Amino acid sequence: MTMSSLTLISHPLCPFVQRAAIVLLEKQVAFERINVDLNAKPAWFLALSPTAKVPLLQIQQADGEEEILFESVAICEYLDETQPGPPLYPANPVARAKHRAWIEFGSAALGDAWGYLNAKDHVSGEIIAASFKERLAQLEHVLGLGPYFDGKTFGMVDAVFAPIFRYFDALDADGVASIFADVPKVSAWRRNLRGRASVIGAVSADYRALFLAHLRRQKAVLAEKM
């Protein structure tokens, strides 16, 4: 395809943005990144985003035409289909459909993880943690020898789960270790994703400090131990 200029409109903590950033880095595509303050959304951003959410991918094509894509999965699949580098979905249609289903599962798991991390009392935190652990147990049953979701090949499912696991990598709270205690394959997958260059590069160096500051502002229970 004709070379395009890509801009990822972003927020430093957004896990959905991280999906797109990971794919861009896996594809080794040059891109610009612009962060917006989601608590004071600028007018230019609201004019571009139908959902008033990030990520957005701004595509400046060689002929001068501009396109805006929204929703992380749509952005990631566009990048996978149009940019060089190994594909991030399997070629087999059934396997590809299964991966897409696990991506949907990952979005639900992200909701549980976020709810647990931001819980303002121990009771609700424990209830949501139990739901998240059930999802991890389901993943434990489908994971193979790794190092990634589909064995040796890094793929789109990995790009979806890496931002979820990053939350827990940023924490030192006692309760976090127990969440992964009974899922050794998931824990190994989490470690392998943590060391992937694209996963590391998808956030800024101050990500952990920004995330912990967010938890403190939210008065999350976990912030009491930090």
Side-chain angles (χ1 to χ4, degrees), residues 138-205:
Q138 289 175 281
L139 284 165
E140 185 77 8
H141 289 305
V142 300
L143 286 172
L145 298 176
Y148 302 116
F149 180 81
D150 196 28
K152 294 182 179 179
T153 304
F154 183 94
M156 200 69 79
V157 180
D158 299 293
V160 166
F161 276 91
I164 302 172
F165 296 149
R166 191 194 308 276
Y167 286 139
F168 296 90
D169 295 337
L171 300 175
D172 298 320
D174 296 337
V176 170
S178 65
I179 287 180
F180 293 89
D182 300 323
V183 284
K185 287 191 286 187
V186 172
S187 297
W189 183 30
R190 175 185 164 201
R191 286 192 299 271
N192 291 326
L193 290 176
R194 181 192 306 159
R196 185 86 176 180
S198 62
V199 174
I200 295 168
V203 296
S204 58

Short mmCIF file of all heavy atoms in Angstrom, two decimals, residues 138-205:
data_model
loop_
_atom_site.label_atom_id
_atom_site.label_comp_id
_atom_site.label_asym_id
_atom_site.label_seq_id
_atom_site.Cartn_x
_atom_site.Cartn_y
_atom_site.Cartn_z
N GLN A 138 -9.78 -20.29 33.51
CA GLN A 138 -10.19 -20.70 32.17
C GLN A 138 -9.04 -20.59 31.18
O GLN A 138 -8.84 -21.45 30.33
CB GLN A 138 -11.38 -19.84 31.71
CG GLN A 138 -12.67 -20.16 32.44
CD GLN A 138 -13.79 -19.20 32.04
OE1 GLN A 138 -13.85 -18.06 32.51
NE2 GLN A 138 -14.65 -19.64 31.16
N LEU A 139 -8.26 -19.52 31.30
CA LEU A 139 -7.09 -19.37 30.44
C LEU A 139 -6.07 -20.47 30.70
O LEU A 139 -5.43 -20.96 29.77
CB LEU A 139 -6.44 -18.00 30.70
CG LEU A 139 -7.14 -16.79 30.09
CD1 LEU A 139 -6.61 -15.51 30.71
CD2 LEU A 139 -6.94 -16.77 28.58
N GLU A 140 -5.92 -20.83 31.96
CA GLU A 140 -4.95 -21.88 32.33
C GLU A 140 -5.23 -23.17 31.57
O GLU A 140 -4.31 -23.88 31.16
CB GLU A 140 -5.00 -22.12 33.85
CG GLU A 140 -3.96 -23.09 34.37
CD GLU A 140 -2.57 -22.49 34.47
OE1 GLU A 140 -2.41 -21.27 34.27
OE2 GLU A 140 -1.63 -23.26 34.75
N HIS A 141 -6.49 -23.45 31.31
CA HIS A 141 -6.88 -24.69 30.64
C HIS A 141 -6.58 -24.67 29.14
O HIS A 141 -6.43 -25.72 28.52
CB HIS A 141 -8.37 -24.98 30.87
CG HIS A 141 -8.68 -25.39 32.27
ND1 HIS A 141 -8.07 -26.44 32.92
CD2 HIS A 141 -9.56 -24.86 33.17
CE1 HIS A 141 -8.54 -26.56 34.14
NE2 HIS A 141 -9.45 -25.61 34.33
N VAL A 142 -6.51 -23.49 28.55
CA VAL A 142 -6.31 -23.42 27.09
C VAL A 142 -4.88 -23.10 26.71
O VAL A 142 -4.49 -23.30 25.55
CB VAL A 142 -7.26 -22.39 26.43
CG1 VAL A 142 -8.70 -22.77 26.67
CG2 VAL A 142 -6.99 -20.98 26.89
N LEU A 143 -4.07 -22.62 27.64
CA LEU A 143 -2.69 -22.30 27.32
C LEU A 143 -1.87 -23.56 27.13
O LEU A 143 -2.06 -24.56 27.84
CB LEU A 143 -2.07 -21.44 28.43
CG LEU A 143 -2.51 -19.98 28.50
CD1 LEU A 143 -1.95 -19.33 29.76
CD2 LEU A 143 -2.06 -19.21 27.26
N GLY A 144 -0.94 -23.50 26.19
CA GLY A 144 -0.02 -24.61 25.97
C GLY A 144 1.30 -24.35 26.66
O GLY A 144 1.36 -23.79 27.76
N LEU A 145 2.39 -24.73 25.99
CA LEU A 145 3.72 -24.61 26.59
C LEU A 145 4.29 -23.20 26.46
O LEU A 145 5.32 -22.90 27.03
CB LEU A 145 4.67 -25.62 25.94
CG LEU A 145 4.30 -27.09 26.14
CD1 LEU A 145 5.27 -27.99 25.37
CD2 LEU A 145 4.30 -27.44 27.62
N GLY A 146 3.64 -22.37 25.68
CA GLY A 146 4.10 -20.98 25.54
C GLY A 146 5.28 -20.87 24.59
O GLY A 146 5.54 -21.77 23.81
N PRO A 147 5.97 -19.74 24.64
CA PRO A 147 5.87 -18.70 25.68
C PRO A 147 4.66 -17.76 25.54
O PRO A 147 4.39 -16.99 26.45
CB PRO A 147 7.16 -17.90 25.47
CG PRO A 147 7.48 -18.06 24.03
CD PRO A 147 7.04 -19.45 23.67
N TYR A 148 3.94 -17.87 24.40
CA TYR A 148 2.83 -16.96 24.17
C TYR A 148 1.52 -17.74 24.08
O TYR A 148 1.49 -18.96 24.22
CB TYR A 148 3.08 -16.11 22.91
CG TYR A 148 4.36 -15.33 23.01
CD1 TYR A 148 5.43 -15.56 22.14
CD2 TYR A 148 4.53 -14.37 24.01
CE1 TYR A 148 6.62 -14.85 22.26
CE2 TYR A 148 5.71 -13.65 24.13
CZ TYR A 148 6.75 -13.90 23.26
OH TYR A 148 7.91 -13.19 23.39
N PHE A 149 0.43 -17.02 23.86
CA PHE A 149 -0.88 -17.66 23.84
C PHE A 149 -0.94 -18.78 22.82
O PHE A 149 -1.49 -19.85 23.10
CB PHE A 149 -1.96 -16.61 23.52
CG PHE A 149 -3.36 -17.17 23.48
CD1 PHE A 149 -4.06 -17.38 24.66
CD2 PHE A 149 -3.96 -17.51 22.27
CE1 PHE A 149 -5.35 -17.91 24.64
CE2 PHE A 149 -5.24 -18.04 22.24
CZ PHE A 149 -5.93 -18.25 23.43
N ASP A 150 -0.36 -18.54 21.65
CA ASP A 150 -0.40 -19.53 20.57
C ASP A 150 0.95 -20.23 20.40
O ASP A 150 1.40 -20.49 19.29
CB ASP A 150 -0.81 -18.85 19.26
CG ASP A 150 -1.26 -19.85 18.20
OD1 ASP A 150 -1.76 -20.93 18.57
OD2 ASP A 150 -1.11 -19.55 17.00
N GLY A 151 1.61 -20.48 21.50
CA GLY A 151 2.90 -21.16 21.44
C GLY A 151 4.04 -20.18 21.23
O GLY A 151 4.17 -19.20 21.96
N LYS A 152 4.86 -20.43 20.21
CA LYS A 152 6.05 -19.61 20.00
C LYS A 152 5.75 -18.30 19.29
O LYS A 152 6.61 -17.42 19.20
CB LYS A 152 7.10 -20.40 19.20
CG LYS A 152 7.64 -21.61 19.96
CD LYS A 152 8.70 -22.32 19.14
CE LYS A 152 9.24 -23.52 19.92
NZ LYS A 152 10.27 -24.26 19.13
N THR A 153 4.55 -18.17 18.75
CA THR A 153 4.21 -17.00 17.92
C THR A 153 3.47 -15.95 18.74
O THR A 153 2.40 -16.23 19.29
CB THR A 153 3.34 -17.43 16.72
OG1 THR A 153 4.03 -18.44 15.98
CG2 THR A 153 3.05 -16.25 15.82
N PHE A 154 4.02 -14.75 18.80
CA PHE A 154 3.33 -13.63 19.45
C PHE A 154 2.19 -13.19 18.55
O PHE A 154 2.36 -13.04 17.33
CB PHE A 154 4.30 -12.47 19.66
CG PHE A 154 3.71 -11.29 20.38
CD1 PHE A 154 3.85 -11.17 21.75
CD2 PHE A 154 3.03 -10.30 19.69
CE1 PHE A 154 3.31 -10.08 22.43
CE2 PHE A 154 2.48 -9.21 20.35
CZ PHE A 154 2.62 -9.10 21.72
N GLY A 155 1.01 -12.97 19.14
CA GLY A 155 -0.15 -12.63 18.33
C GLY A 155 -1.04 -11.59 18.98
O GLY A 155 -0.72 -11.00 20.02
N MET A 156 -2.19 -11.39 18.37
CA MET A 156 -3.11 -10.34 18.81
C MET A 156 -3.66 -10.62 20.22
O MET A 156 -3.89 -9.67 20.99
CB MET A 156 -4.26 -10.19 17.81
CG MET A 156 -4.97 -8.86 17.90
SD MET A 156 -3.94 -7.48 17.33
CE MET A 156 -4.07 -7.64 15.55
N VAL A 157 -3.86 -11.86 20.56
CA VAL A 157 -4.35 -12.17 21.92
C VAL A 157 -3.32 -11.72 22.95
O VAL A 157 -3.67 -11.18 24.01
CB VAL A 157 -4.66 -13.67 22.07
CG1 VAL A 157 -5.15 -13.98 23.48
CG2 VAL A 157 -5.70 -14.11 21.05
N ASP A 158 -2.04 -11.89 22.64
CA ASP A 158 -0.98 -11.43 23.54
C ASP A 158 -1.02 -9.91 23.70
O ASP A 158 -0.84 -9.39 24.80
CB ASP A 158 0.38 -11.86 23.00
CG ASP A 158 0.51 -13.37 22.88
OD1 ASP A 158 0.53 -14.05 23.92
OD2 ASP A 158 0.57 -13.87 21.74
N ALA A 159 -1.26 -9.21 22.59
CA ALA A 159 -1.33 -7.75 22.65
C ALA A 159 -2.49 -7.27 23.51
O ALA A 159 -2.43 -6.19 24.11
CB ALA A 159 -1.46 -7.18 21.23
N VAL A 160 -3.54 -8.08 23.60
CA VAL A 160 -4.72 -7.72 24.41
C VAL A 160 -4.47 -7.99 25.89
O VAL A 160 -4.87 -7.20 26.76
CB VAL A 160 -5.95 -8.49 23.91
CG1 VAL A 160 -7.09 -8.44 24.91
CG2 VAL A 160 -6.40 -7.93 22.56
N PHE A 161 -3.81 -9.10 26.21
CA PHE A 161 -3.63 -9.46 27.62
C PHE A 161 -2.44 -8.76 28.27
O PHE A 161 -2.43 -8.58 29.50
CB PHE A 161 -3.53 -10.97 27.79
CG PHE A 161 -4.85 -11.64 27.87
CD1 PHE A 161 -5.49 -12.10 26.73
CD2 PHE A 161 -5.51 -11.79 29.08
CE1 PHE A 161 -6.74 -12.71 26.79
CE2 PHE A 161 -6.77 -12.39 29.16
CZ PHE A 161 -7.38 -12.85 28.01
N ALA A 162 -1.44 -8.36 27.50
CA ALA A 162 -0.26 -7.74 28.09
C ALA A 162 -0.61 -6.50 28.93
O ALA A 162 -0.08 -6.36 30.05
CB ALA A 162 0.74 -7.38 26.99
N PRO A 163 -1.49 -5.60 28.47
CA PRO A 163 -1.83 -4.45 29.31
C PRO A 163 -2.56 -4.82 30.59
O PRO A 163 -2.46 -4.11 31.60
CB PRO A 163 -2.73 -3.60 28.40
CG PRO A 163 -2.38 -4.01 27.01
CD PRO A 163 -2.08 -5.47 27.12
N ILE A 164 -3.31 -5.93 30.56
CA ILE A 164 -4.00 -6.38 31.79
C ILE A 164 -2.97 -6.82 32.82
O ILE A 164 -3.00 -6.42 33.99
CB ILE A 164 -4.96 -7.54 31.47
CG1 ILE A 164 -5.99 -7.12 30.42
CG2 ILE A 164 -5.66 -8.02 32.76
CD1 ILE A 164 -6.86 -8.27 29.92
N PHE A 165 -2.04 -7.66 32.38
CA PHE A 165 -1.02 -8.16 33.31
C PHE A 165 -0.12 -7.03 33.81
O PHE A 165 0.39 -7.09 34.92
CB PHE A 165 -0.18 -9.24 32.63
CG PHE A 165 -0.97 -10.48 32.27
CD1 PHE A 165 -0.61 -11.25 31.16
CD2 PHE A 165 -2.04 -10.90 33.04
CE1 PHE A 165 -1.32 -12.40 30.83
CE2 PHE A 165 -2.76 -12.05 32.71
CZ PHE A 165 -2.39 -12.80 31.61
N ARG A 166 0.09 -6.00 32.97
CA ARG A 166 0.96 -4.89 33.38
C ARG A 166 0.46 -4.22 34.66
O ARG A 166 1.25 -3.78 35.49
CB ARG A 166 1.07 -3.86 32.26
CG ARG A 166 2.17 -2.83 32.51
CD ARG A 166 2.06 -1.61 31.60
NE ARG A 166 1.97 -1.92 30.20
CZ ARG A 166 3.02 -2.16 29.40
NH1 ARG A 166 4.24 -2.15 29.91
NH2 ARG A 166 2.83 -2.41 28.11
N TYR A 167 -0.86 -4.12 34.80
CA TYR A 167 -1.40 -3.56 36.03
C TYR A 167 -0.80 -4.22 37.26
O TYR A 167 -0.39 -3.56 38.21
CB TYR A 167 -2.92 -3.76 36.09
CG TYR A 167 -3.75 -2.88 35.18
CD1 TYR A 167 -4.84 -3.42 34.51
CD2 TYR A 167 -3.49 -1.53 35.04
CE1 TYR A 167 -5.64 -2.63 33.69
CE2 TYR A 167 -4.28 -0.74 34.23
CZ TYR A 167 -5.36 -1.29 33.57
OH TYR A 167 -6.14 -0.51 32.77
N PHE A 168 -0.79 -5.55 37.24
CA PHE A 168 -0.35 -6.30 38.41
C PHE A 168 1.17 -6.25 38.56
O PHE A 168 1.68 -6.31 39.68
CB PHE A 168 -0.86 -7.74 38.30
CG PHE A 168 -2.36 -7.83 38.33
CD1 PHE A 168 -3.08 -7.78 37.16
CD2 PHE A 168 -3.04 -7.90 39.54
CE1 PHE A 168 -4.48 -7.84 37.17
CE2 PHE A 168 -4.43 -7.95 39.57
CZ PHE A 168 -5.15 -7.92 38.38
N ASP A 169 1.88 -6.12 37.45
CA ASP A 169 3.33 -5.97 37.53
C ASP A 169 3.71 -4.68 38.21
O ASP A 169 4.82 -4.55 38.76
CB ASP A 169 3.94 -6.01 36.12
CG ASP A 169 3.75 -7.35 35.43
OD1 ASP A 169 3.56 -8.36 36.14
OD2 ASP A 169 3.81 -7.39 34.19
N ALA A 170 2.82 -3.70 38.17
CA ALA A 170 3.11 -2.38 38.76
C ALA A 170 2.88 -2.36 40.27
O ALA A 170 3.24 -1.38 40.93
CB ALA A 170 2.25 -1.32 38.10
N LEU A 171 2.31 -3.43 40.83
CA LEU A 171 1.90 -3.41 42.23
C LEU A 171 2.78 -4.31 43.09
O LEU A 171 3.32 -5.32 42.64
CB LEU A 171 0.45 -3.90 42.36
CG LEU A 171 -0.59 -3.07 41.60
CD1 LEU A 171 -1.95 -3.74 41.71
CD2 LEU A 171 -0.64 -1.65 42.13
N ASP A 172 2.90 -3.93 44.35
CA ASP A 172 3.62 -4.75 45.33
C ASP A 172 2.68 -5.24 46.43
O ASP A 172 3.12 -5.79 47.42
CB ASP A 172 4.75 -3.94 45.98
CG ASP A 172 5.78 -3.49 44.96
OD1 ASP A 172 6.09 -4.28 44.06
OD2 ASP A 172 6.25 -2.35 45.06
N ALA A 173 1.39 -5.03 46.27
CA ALA A 173 0.42 -5.38 47.32
C ALA A 173 0.41 -6.88 47.57
O ALA A 173 0.57 -7.69 46.64
CB ALA A 173 -0.97 -4.90 46.93
N ASP A 174 0.21 -7.26 48.82
CA ASP A 174 0.25 -8.67 49.21
C ASP A 174 -0.78 -9.51 48.47
O ASP A 174 -0.52 -10.65 48.10
CB ASP A 174 0.01 -8.81 50.72
CG ASP A 174 1.11 -8.15 51.53
OD1 ASP A 174 2.23 -8.00 50.99
OD2 ASP A 174 0.86 -7.79 52.69
N GLY A 175 -1.98 -8.96 48.26
CA GLY A 175 -3.04 -9.74 47.67
C GLY A 175 -2.84 -10.07 46.20
O GLY A 175 -3.47 -10.97 45.67
N VAL A 176 -1.95 -9.35 45.53
CA VAL A 176 -1.78 -9.54 44.10
C VAL A 176 -1.19 -10.90 43.79
O VAL A 176 -1.62 -11.61 42.88
CB VAL A 176 -0.91 -8.41 43.50
CG1 VAL A 176 -0.51 -8.73 42.08
CG2 VAL A 176 -1.66 -7.09 43.56
N ALA A 177 -0.18 -11.32 44.55
CA ALA A 177 0.49 -12.60 44.30
C ALA A 177 -0.49 -13.76 44.40
O ALA A 177 -0.41 -14.72 43.61
CB ALA A 177 1.64 -12.80 45.28
N SER A 178 -1.45 -13.68 45.31
CA SER A 178 -2.39 -14.79 45.51
C SER A 178 -3.30 -14.96 44.30
O SER A 178 -3.80 -16.06 44.04
CB SER A 178 -3.22 -14.57 46.77
OG SER A 178 -4.05 -13.43 46.61
N ILE A 179 -3.54 -13.90 43.55
CA ILE A 179 -4.43 -13.99 42.39
C ILE A 179 -3.86 -14.94 41.34
O ILE A 179 -4.59 -15.67 40.66
CB ILE A 179 -4.68 -12.59 41.80
CG1 ILE A 179 -5.60 -11.81 42.74
CG2 ILE A 179 -5.27 -12.65 40.40
CD1 ILE A 179 -5.92 -10.42 42.30
N PHE A 180 -2.53 -14.96 41.21
CA PHE A 180 -1.88 -15.78 40.20
C PHE A 180 -1.29 -17.07 40.78
O PHE A 180 -0.60 -17.81 40.06
CB PHE A 180 -0.78 -14.98 39.51
CG PHE A 180 -1.30 -13.83 38.68
CD1 PHE A 180 -1.50 -12.58 39.24
CD2 PHE A 180 -1.61 -14.01 37.34
CE1 PHE A 180 -1.99 -11.53 38.49
CE2 PHE A 180 -2.10 -12.96 36.57
CZ PHE A 180 -2.29 -11.72 37.16
N ALA A 181 -1.59 -17.35 42.04
CA ALA A 181 -0.95 -18.49 42.72
C ALA A 181 -1.29 -19.83 42.10
O ALA A 181 -0.45 -20.74 42.07
CB ALA A 181 -1.32 -18.48 44.20
N ASP A 182 -2.50 -20.01 41.59
CA ASP A 182 -2.95 -21.32 41.12
C ASP A 182 -2.96 -21.45 39.60
O ASP A 182 -3.57 -22.38 39.06
CB ASP A 182 -4.36 -21.60 41.66
CG ASP A 182 -4.40 -21.61 43.17
OD1 ASP A 182 -3.43 -22.09 43.78
OD2 ASP A 182 -5.38 -21.11 43.74
N VAL A 183 -2.30 -20.52 38.92
CA VAL A 183 -2.30 -20.56 37.44
C VAL A 183 -0.87 -20.44 36.93
O VAL A 183 -0.46 -19.40 36.40
CB VAL A 183 -3.21 -19.46 36.86
CG1 VAL A 183 -4.69 -19.83 37.00
CG2 VAL A 183 -2.95 -18.10 37.53
N PRO A 184 -0.08 -21.50 37.04
CA PRO A 184 1.33 -21.41 36.66
C PRO A 184 1.56 -21.09 35.19
O PRO A 184 2.50 -20.37 34.85
CB PRO A 184 1.89 -22.80 37.02
CG PRO A 184 0.69 -23.69 37.13
CD PRO A 184 -0.42 -22.82 37.61
N LYS A 185 0.72 -21.61 34.31
CA LYS A 185 0.91 -21.32 32.88
C LYS A 185 0.58 -19.86 32.58
O LYS A 185 1.28 -19.20 31.79
CB LYS A 185 0.07 -22.27 32.02
CG LYS A 185 0.62 -23.69 31.99
CD LYS A 185 -0.06 -24.55 30.94
CE LYS A 185 -1.46 -24.95 31.35
NZ LYS A 185 -2.06 -25.93 30.41
N VAL A 186 -0.48 -19.35 33.20
CA VAL A 186 -0.81 -17.93 33.04
C VAL A 186 0.32 -17.07 33.60
O VAL A 186 0.71 -16.05 33.00
CB VAL A 186 -2.14 -17.59 33.73
CG1 VAL A 186 -2.38 -16.08 33.72
CG2 VAL A 186 -3.30 -18.30 33.04
N SER A 187 0.87 -17.47 34.74
CA SER A 187 1.96 -16.70 35.35
C SER A 187 3.19 -16.67 34.46
O SER A 187 3.86 -15.63 34.33
CB SER A 187 2.32 -17.30 36.72
OG SER A 187 1.22 -17.19 37.61
N ALA A 188 3.50 -17.82 33.82
CA ALA A 188 4.64 -17.86 32.90
C ALA A 188 4.37 -16.97 31.69
O ALA A 188 5.26 -16.24 31.21
CB ALA A 188 4.91 -19.29 32.47
N TRP A 189 3.15 -17.02 31.18
CA TRP A 189 2.75 -16.18 30.05
C TRP A 189 2.90 -14.71 30.42
O TRP A 189 3.45 -13.91 29.65
CB TRP A 189 1.31 -16.50 29.69
CG TRP A 189 0.73 -15.79 28.52
CD1 TRP A 189 1.39 -15.33 27.41
CD2 TRP A 189 -0.65 -15.45 28.32
NE1 TRP A 189 0.49 -14.73 26.53
CE2 TRP A 189 -0.76 -14.79 27.07
CE3 TRP A 189 -1.82 -15.67 29.07
CZ2 TRP A 189 -1.97 -14.34 26.56
CZ3 TRP A 189 -3.03 -15.21 28.56
CH2 TRP A 189 -3.10 -14.56 27.33
N ARG A 190 2.45 -14.37 31.60
CA ARG A 190 2.56 -12.99 32.08
C ARG A 190 4.02 -12.54 32.12
O ARG A 190 4.36 -11.44 31.67
CB ARG A 190 1.93 -12.92 33.47
CG ARG A 190 2.05 -11.59 34.18
CD ARG A 190 1.49 -11.72 35.59
NE ARG A 190 1.90 -10.62 36.44
CZ ARG A 190 1.90 -10.67 37.76
NH1 ARG A 190 1.50 -11.78 38.39
NH2 ARG A 190 2.29 -9.64 38.47
N ARG A 191 4.92 -13.41 32.62
CA ARG A 191 6.34 -13.06 32.68
C ARG A 191 6.93 -12.88 31.28
O ARG A 191 7.72 -11.96 31.03
CB ARG A 191 7.12 -14.14 33.43
CG ARG A 191 6.91 -14.14 34.94
CD ARG A 191 7.91 -15.02 35.64
NE ARG A 191 7.82 -16.41 35.20
CZ ARG A 191 7.03 -17.31 35.75
NH1 ARG A 191 6.22 -16.97 36.76
NH2 ARG A 191 7.01 -18.55 35.32
N ASN A 192 6.54 -13.76 30.36
CA ASN A 192 7.07 -13.67 29.00
C ASN A 192 6.60 -12.40 28.30
O ASN A 192 7.36 -11.77 27.56
CB ASN A 192 6.67 -14.91 28.21
CG ASN A 192 7.37 -16.16 28.70
OD1 ASN A 192 8.52 -16.09 29.13
ND2 ASN A 192 6.69 -17.29 28.67
N LEU A 193 5.35 -12.03 28.52
CA LEU A 193 4.84 -10.80 27.92
C LEU A 193 5.54 -9.57 28.51
O LEU A 193 5.86 -8.61 27.80
CB LEU A 193 3.33 -10.68 28.13
CG LEU A 193 2.47 -11.66 27.34
CD1 LEU A 193 0.99 -11.50 27.71
CD2 LEU A 193 2.64 -11.46 25.84
N ARG A 194 5.82 -9.63 29.80
CA ARG A 194 6.48 -8.50 30.48
C ARG A 194 7.82 -8.16 29.83
O ARG A 194 8.22 -7.00 29.78
CB ARG A 194 6.69 -8.88 31.95
CG ARG A 194 7.33 -7.81 32.81
CD ARG A 194 7.75 -8.39 34.14
NE ARG A 194 6.66 -9.05 34.83
CZ ARG A 194 6.82 -9.96 35.79
NH1 ARG A 194 8.02 -10.35 36.16
NH2 ARG A 194 5.76 -10.51 36.37
N GLY A 195 8.51 -9.18 29.33
CA GLY A 195 9.83 -8.96 28.76
C GLY A 195 9.85 -8.66 27.27
O GLY A 195 10.93 -8.42 26.71
N ARG A 196 8.69 -8.68 26.62
CA ARG A 196 8.63 -8.44 25.18
C ARG A 196 8.89 -6.96 24.90
O ARG A 196 8.30 -6.08 25.53
CB ARG A 196 7.24 -8.84 24.67
CG ARG A 196 7.06 -8.74 23.15
CD ARG A 196 7.51 -9.97 22.45
NE ARG A 196 7.25 -9.90 21.02
CZ ARG A 196 7.56 -10.88 20.17
NH1 ARG A 196 8.11 -12.00 20.63
NH2 ARG A 196 7.32 -10.75 18.88
N ALA A 197 9.75 -6.68 23.91
CA ALA A 197 10.14 -5.29 23.63
C ALA A 197 8.93 -4.41 23.30
O ALA A 197 8.85 -3.25 23.75
CB ALA A 197 11.15 -5.26 22.49
N SER A 198 7.99 -4.93 22.52
CA SER A 198 6.82 -4.12 22.15
C SER A 198 5.95 -3.80 23.36
O SER A 198 5.35 -2.72 23.43
CB SER A 198 6.00 -4.85 21.09
OG SER A 198 5.49 -6.08 21.59
N VAL A 199 5.87 -4.73 24.29
CA VAL A 199 5.07 -4.51 25.51
C VAL A 199 5.74 -3.47 26.39
O VAL A 199 5.09 -2.55 26.91
CB VAL A 199 4.88 -5.84 26.26
CG1 VAL A 199 4.18 -5.62 27.60
CG2 VAL A 199 4.08 -6.83 25.40
N ILE A 200 7.04 -3.58 26.53
CA ILE A 200 7.79 -2.59 27.33
C ILE A 200 7.64 -1.20 26.72
O ILE A 200 7.39 -0.22 27.42
CB ILE A 200 9.28 -2.99 27.40
CG1 ILE A 200 9.44 -4.31 28.16
CG2 ILE A 200 10.10 -1.88 28.06
CD1 ILE A 200 10.82 -4.92 28.05
N GLY A 201 7.76 -1.13 25.40
CA GLY A 201 7.75 0.17 24.72
C GLY A 201 6.39 0.79 24.55
O GLY A 201 6.29 1.95 24.13
N ALA A 202 5.33 0.07 24.88
CA ALA A 202 3.97 0.59 24.68
C ALA A 202 3.56 1.64 25.70
O ALA A 202 2.54 2.30 25.53
CB ALA A 202 2.96 -0.57 24.70
N VAL A 203 4.35 1.77 26.78
CA VAL A 203 4.05 2.78 27.80
C VAL A 203 5.30 3.60 28.07
O VAL A 203 6.41 3.20 27.74
CB VAL A 203 3.54 2.15 29.12
CG1 VAL A 203 2.22 1.43 28.91
CG2 VAL A 203 4.58 1.21 29.71
N SER A 204 5.12 4.73 28.71
CA SER A 204 6.25 5.59 29.07
C SER A 204 6.95 5.05 30.31
O SER A 204 6.41 4.22 31.06
CB SER A 204 5.77 7.02 29.32
OG SER A 204 4.80 7.04 30.35
N ALA A 205 8.16 5.54 30.55
CA ALA A 205 8.97 5.06 31.68
C ALA A 205 8.31 5.35 33.03
O ALA A 205 8.59 4.66 34.02
CB ALA A 205 10.35 5.69 31.61
#
